[in-house]
Amino acid sequence: MQEITYLEGRALFVWGAYGITVVVLVLSIVFTSLRKNKILKEIKQALEQ
Amino acid sequence: MLNVLLTVIHRDLLVAFRRRAELMNPVLFYAIVVTLFPLGVSPDVSFLSKLAPGVVWVTALLAALISVERIFKQDFEDGSIEQLFLSPYPVSLLIFGKVVAHWIITGVPMLGIVPIMAMLLHIPGQVLPVLWISVLIGTPILSLVGAIGAALTVGLGGGGMLIGLLVLPLYIPVLIFASSAVSAAMDGQAVSGQLAMLGAGLILALILAPLAISASLKVSMD
Amino acid sequence: MLKAHGLKCVRGDTELFSNLEFSVKSGEALVVKGDNGSGKTSLLRILCGFSHPVEGDVTWCDESIFRHDSFRQQISYVGHQSGVKMDLTVLENLSFMQRLAGEGSDASKLKELARYVGLFKQRNVLTRKLSAGQVRRVALAKLLLEQRSIWVLDEPLTALDKEFIVKFELDLKNHLDKLGLLVVTTHRELKLPEFRVKQITLS
Amino acid sequence: MMWKFLHRLSSLKYFYEWSGKWIPWLTGLTIVLMVAGFYWGLFIAPADYQQGETYRIIFVHVPAAWMSMFVYVIMAIAGFTALIWRTKVSEIVVSECAVIGAMFTALALITGMLWGKPTWGTYWQWDARLTSELILLFLYLGVVAIHSAIEDSRTASRLSGILAVIGVINIPIIHFSVTWWNSLHQPNMQLVSASPSVHPSMLYPLLVMAAAFQAYFIVLLIIRMRNQILYRERRTNWVKQLLVEVN
């Protein structure tokens, strides 16, 4: 396990790159579904008026 | 067909000449930017002349960017753009006339001021012809492509930097080939390759730009 | 014959009008009534083919105007904005209109037209310096210059004085007599021969 | 048959329902591919003899770069159809692809910089590919800017359709001129290219990752489009009826 974390001192960059990718991909899905609820709430309010 | 083109060019130049103050803007802009660079960077001759082609062409790009919005803005506000669409002549031809008028106002003065810029930036004399040719071929592309950006944003009000963002990627090949043509000439190398690419760019712009502009105007007017 | 089928127009979120039907024959006038913001201008712009309706279609001789390229060349349109360049003189504006309409330059005709609209004295004055009514006259002069079969006018009478309105109504009548077609929006009453006028109101 | 299907698909309501069915399957596929790709790329694939471990970044950098161009082509095609046939669905595809494309391009740039630091010693290097990627980002931001500048989304998507079509013509030109310009200024530096003739053991994880990104793109596009459809059609009764069912 030690070998993976060290990766000849470049672990920071490799894990950094993968980390950022995962974060960006996951966040965009999360934001999109949050937006969906916001839209649904908005439409519902408009309906109630 | 040709004389309606000349009519549009004549009208636009007439409108521009009526506002004499604005006519001087491009030339002033070139002069200001070119004098700022040596002050900002360093007056050392060899360094400056290496930088000079890029400075000249970045200035041309910026001058085109800020002046291109004017092509359609006023016509859009006073409703004369609609009259262009109602004329029996193809719209792209009339729009081409307007772009030529814009080029005459911004591009041609640059041709005039090129020797002064070259002097200020220590560009050697024998390179001047290449600089002239590159300006002659390059600036029409800037006007044509810039007009596409103007047509896209004319309906939006705050055109401003949006045109810059839209048009920047399209200006980059022009910047690359034009400034490298001049720097190649300064090193005594052959420049025909770069100028040929610029010429190809010009032909491409001449054919595609009017179509893109009339399409964008139709959508902006919707 | 200009016909509209089920026209619907939406601006932003508000629906201006929907399934609007009408038909206008040559020699007839369509007067569009409706208060401000009811979509009168949008309707006129759709008829000129400048903008597309959300639903429905407009046909000229049973062919959709959006595919019928030469349709637009038969229209003279005077909208809210005058369509006239403020930095040019009256004569320069008229000569540009003349060349744009493809009739070649004929200075005497322009002078005569300027006199007809009562701007002969001001013919070499910058349009910027004229009053709103005078600018309107320059814009309306285009109708007589181009002699096109379809006139689409958006509030043509604004800022015009009584005396010119009477003369202008006469021109409209002649246009209808020559089997021209007229679509106009107006707040003031237009004295036109009753049997030729159709009226629609946009709510 | 194909044409009829495409035509039916152009109606928002039908597209909304049709795409709804696909989302669970596609999400599952994306997750599987992502996990497989990550694991394969990070742990199983051998380190590159020249660059050592940093080489693993290409399993993320290259697919993101491929996607940034692929999404632009999709956007241009949708833009073209929006212009010619005015189909509503293709207009929505244009606006959503712009955001997703910008995301992929930014991702490719960031991972490119992270790859550059150990290899070149600096985060940013005016390398031909990175520069073209940066200009592509500006192209995307142009489309996104048009969409945020105009409220009426129909005109916005048609304008960005034109911009997308112009952009597609421009991408090869940019690529050529930047590569030519790059070779002009750095003829001597031995360029370690991000994907040399790739050894199979490295090619397969790369393909798996590319497929994972592809599936991800489709899922994200569908979800974003459904949001946009709900927003645009909020006045129609099929949306109101849908809402009644939801809560």
Side-chain angles (χ1 to χ4, degrees):
Chain A
M1 202 41 206
Q2 199 272 346
E3 180 261 331
I4 291 163
T5 51
Y6 176 67
L7 287 178
E8 291 152 8
R10 295 199 178 114
L12 172 72
F13 301 107
V14 175
W15 283 101
Y18 280 74
I20 287 176
T21 315
V22 168
V23 164
V24 167
L25 298 187
V26 167
L27 272 189
S28 47
I29 293 270
V30 165
F31 278 132
T32 320
S33 34
L34 283 180
R35 189 159 170 267
K36 175 166 184 163
N37 307 345
K38 192 164 71 64
I39 291 176
L40 288 179
K41 227 194 283 77
E42 234 173 71
I43 302 176
K44 228 168 283 168
Q45 270 148 13
L47 273 180
E48 265 114 35
Q49 266 112 29
Chain B
M1 190 66 94
L2 181 64
N3 65 28
V4 84
L5 184 65
L6 296 179
T7 318
V8 173
I9 297 173
H10 168 68
R11 181 195 72 159
D12 264 33
L13 288 180
L14 210 54
V15 168
F17 279 106
R18 286 284 151 69
R19 293 215 196 98
R20 202 153 318 284
E22 273 181 30
L23 257 186
M24 284 304 291
N25 284 358
V27 178
L28 287 177
F29 183 81
Y30 297 128
I32 292 168
V33 173
V34 165
T35 43
L36 287 180
F37 260 88
L39 298 170
V41 181
S42 90
D44 152 48
V45 178
S46 67
F47 182 80
L48 208 54
S49 57
K50 209 147 52 69
L51 207 64
V55 167
V56 168
W57 269 99
V58 167
T59 324
L61 241 65
L62 297 179
L65 265 190
I66 55 170
S67 64
V68 114
E69 191 179 7
R70 237 197 353 242
I71 301 180
F72 298 118
K73 194 90 180 145
Q74 225 225 339
D75 281 21
F76 208 81
E77 270 143 19
D78 62 24
S80 43
I81 206 83
E82 282 143 1
Q83 305 307 330
L84 293 185
F85 275 88
L86 293 180
S87 92
Y89 296 99
V91 178
S92 326
L93 182 72
L94 304 172
I95 285 165
F96 181 67
K98 290 185 74 62
V99 175
V100 167
H102 170 264
W103 177 66
I104 292 170
I105 296 168
T106 41
V108 169
M110 182 167 183
L111 286 172
I113 200 169
V114 151
I116 302 162
M117 282 209 252
M119 180 191 69
L120 289 176
L121 295 171
H122 301 299
I123 297 179
Q126 74 277 9
V127 170
L128 270 183
V130 174
L131 190 54
W132 258 316
I133 297 169
S134 73
V135 167
L136 193 62
I137 304 175
T139 41
I141 307 177
L142 299 183
S143 296
L144 280 162
V145 170
I148 300 176
L152 282 167
T153 58
V154 71
L156 307 191
M161 223 38 256
L162 186 56
I163 296 185
L165 187 63
L166 303 183
V167 154
L168 172 80
L170 306 173
Y171 273 179
I172 283 175
V174 176
L175 176 65
I176 289 175
F177 286 115
S179 51
S180 60
V182 179
S183 49
M186 281 165 69
D187 305 342
Q189 293 158 354
V191 289
S192 50
Q194 289 90 332
L195 291 181
M197 284 304 290
L198 265 184
L202 178 59
I203 293 164
L204 192 70
L206 281 171
I207 297 165
L208 294 181
L211 301 177
I213 297 166
S214 47
S216 320
L217 278 180
K218 280 200 189 83
V219 174
S220 301
M221 265 183 8
D222 194 331
Chain C
M1 165 67 86
L2 186 66
K3 273 207 286 280
H5 319 274
L7 272 186
K8 178 175 181 219
C9 174
V10 170
R11 183 181 300 147
D13 288 348
T14 54
E15 189 190 276
L16 297 176
F17 52 80
S18 60
N19 45 54
L20 186 69
E21 297 281 344
F22 62 79
S23 70
V24 191
K25 284 207 301 300
S26 307
E28 274 181 356
L30 174 73
V31 177
V32 182
K33 286 255 193 265
D35 39 28
N36 297 340
S38 59
K40 300 199 296 293
T41 309
S42 309
L43 174 62
L44 259 56
R45 285 177 66 85
I46 290 173
L47 293 182
C48 293
F50 292 145
S51 51
H52 287 254
V54 175
E55 274 163 29
D57 196 1
V58 179
T59 57
W60 167 252
C61 316
D62 301 329
E63 199 196 333
S64 160
I65 63 168
F66 298 108
R67 270 182 291 283
H68 191 305
D69 281 344
S70 64
F71 169 71
R72 263 220 281 267
Q73 272 75 46
Q74 300 160 30
I75 297 177
S76 281
Y77 171 69
V78 175
H80 273 300
Q81 303 124 333
S82 58
V84 155
K85 292 305 255 183
M86 286 303 170
D87 293 320
L88 297 177
T89 66
V90 174
L91 268 188
E92 280 162 355
N93 267 313
L94 291 180
S95 85
F96 178 71
M97 288 177 200
Q98 191 178 46
R99 284 220 196 87
L100 198 64
E103 272 145 34
S105 57
D106 164 2
S108 60
K109 192 159 178 252
L110 293 183
K111 283 202 179 63
E112 203 282 327
L113 188 61
R115 182 174 299 112
Y116 184 80
V117 289
L119 288 174
F120 187 73
K121 283 199 303 304
Q122 299 88 347
R123 64 188 185 287
N124 290 324
V125 167
L126 284 182
T127 333
R128 181 183 299 284
K129 296 192 172 59
L130 298 176
S131 75
Q134 288 165 325
V135 172
R136 203 76 189 144
R137 293 184 188 205
V138 176
L140 294 175
K142 167 153 56 74
L143 301 173
L144 310 170
L145 188 71
E146 288 173 346
Q147 298 293 351
R148 295 218 176 136
S149 56
I150 303 171
W151 287 4
V152 179
L153 308 176
D154 198 347
E155 315 273 355
L157 306 182
T158 46
L160 291 180
D161 50 51
K162 278 275 168 297
E163 179 256 344
F164 187 78
I165 288 180
V166 169
K167 186 193 273 192
F168 183 61
E169 274 165 356
L170 210 60
D171 295 331
L172 290 184
K173 212 169 83 53
N174 301 345
H175 175 68
L176 293 179
D177 294 345
K178 282 183 280 180
L179 287 183
L181 196 141
L182 171 65
V183 180
V184 65
T185 66
T186 178
H187 284 298
R188 280 203 286 238
E189 274 321 306
L190 256 176
K191 280 193 288 304
L192 285 172
E194 273 321 307
F195 63 95
R196 288 176 183 263
V197 174
K198 277 190 178 152
Q199 189 160 347
I200 56 170
T201 312
L202 299 181
S203 58
Chain D
M1 207 313 268
M2 187 54 191
W3 188 244
K4 193 167 74 58
F5 170 74
L6 269 183
H7 181 68
R8 260 215 335 264
L9 202 60
S10 74
S11 93
L12 294 183
K13 177 171 178 312
Y14 183 81
F15 180 86
Y16 188 84
E17 280 137 15
W18 176 80
S19 54
K21 293 200 281 294
W22 284 99
I23 290 185
W25 297 101
L26 276 171
T27 348
L29 177 68
T30 317
I31 293 167
V32 164
L33 282 172
M34 280 285 181
V35 168
F38 273 77
Y39 185 74
W40 197 336
L42 263 178
F43 302 112
I44 298 169
D48 175 62
Y49 65 91
Q50 215 181 7
Q51 295 167 18
E53 293 308 327
T54 27
Y55 183 77
R56 293 183 191 287
I57 295 181
I58 68 145
F59 296 129
V60 177
H61 174 67
V62 172
W66 282 344
M67 283 313 292
S68 64
M69 283 177 216
F70 175 75
V71 168
Y72 200 93
V73 171
I74 298 286
M75 187 170 73
I77 296 167
F80 190 72
T81 27
L83 269 175
I84 308 294
W85 292 301
R86 291 183 180 280
T87 41
K88 288 205 181 91
V89 170
S90 48
E91 283 169 8
I92 298 174
V93 168
V94 172
S95 61
E96 297 316 318
C97 273
V99 178
I100 301 174
M103 183 196 78
F104 275 127
T105 324
L107 204 59
L109 278 172
I110 296 165
T111 46
M113 283 193 263
L114 281 172
W115 176 75
K117 180 69 177 160
T119 326
W120 289 325
T122 62
Y123 279 106
W124 182 259
Q125 177 70 279
W126 286 97
D127 156 77
R129 270 182 306 285
L130 278 182
T131 322
S132 317
E133 201 70 44
L134 181 63
I135 299 170
L136 184 60
L137 183 64
F138 280 116
L139 274 168
Y140 275 118
L141 292 180
V143 179
V144 171
I146 278 201
H147 263 281
S148 51
I150 311 176
E151 310 80 28
D152 169 27
S153 37
R154 292 215 58 160
T155 6
S157 30
R158 276 205 287 278
L159 282 180
S160 31
I162 297 173
L163 194 60
V165 168
I166 296 171
V168 157
I169 301 167
N170 198 37
I171 284 186
I173 298 173
I174 292 178
H175 198 66
F176 169 72
S177 44
V178 166
T179 328
W180 176 81
W181 163 78
N182 189 267
S183 63
L184 197 67
H185 293 290
Q186 287 165 339
N188 42 36
M189 203 201 93
Q190 196 277 330
L191 244 179
V192 176
S193 67
S195 54
S197 56
V198 185
H199 182 270
S201 73
M202 292 170 193
L203 181 61
Y204 295 141
L206 196 59
L207 294 180
V208 168
M209 281 305 284
F213 272 58
Q214 197 70 271
Y216 174 84
F217 162 60
I218 297 166
V219 171
L220 187 59
L221 181 63
I222 288 181
I223 297 174
R224 286 188 72 95
M225 282 179 71
R226 281 158 64 89
N227 285 356
Q228 187 70 348
I229 291 173
L230 274 183
Y231 181 73
R232 274 201 196 185
E233 301 288 291
R234 60 189 179 284
R235 283 220 162 11
T236 61
N237 38 42
W238 70 270
V239 168
K240 288 176 186 136
Q241 200 248 341
L242 199 73
L243 272 175
V244 168
E245 281 154 21
V246 159
N247 51 11

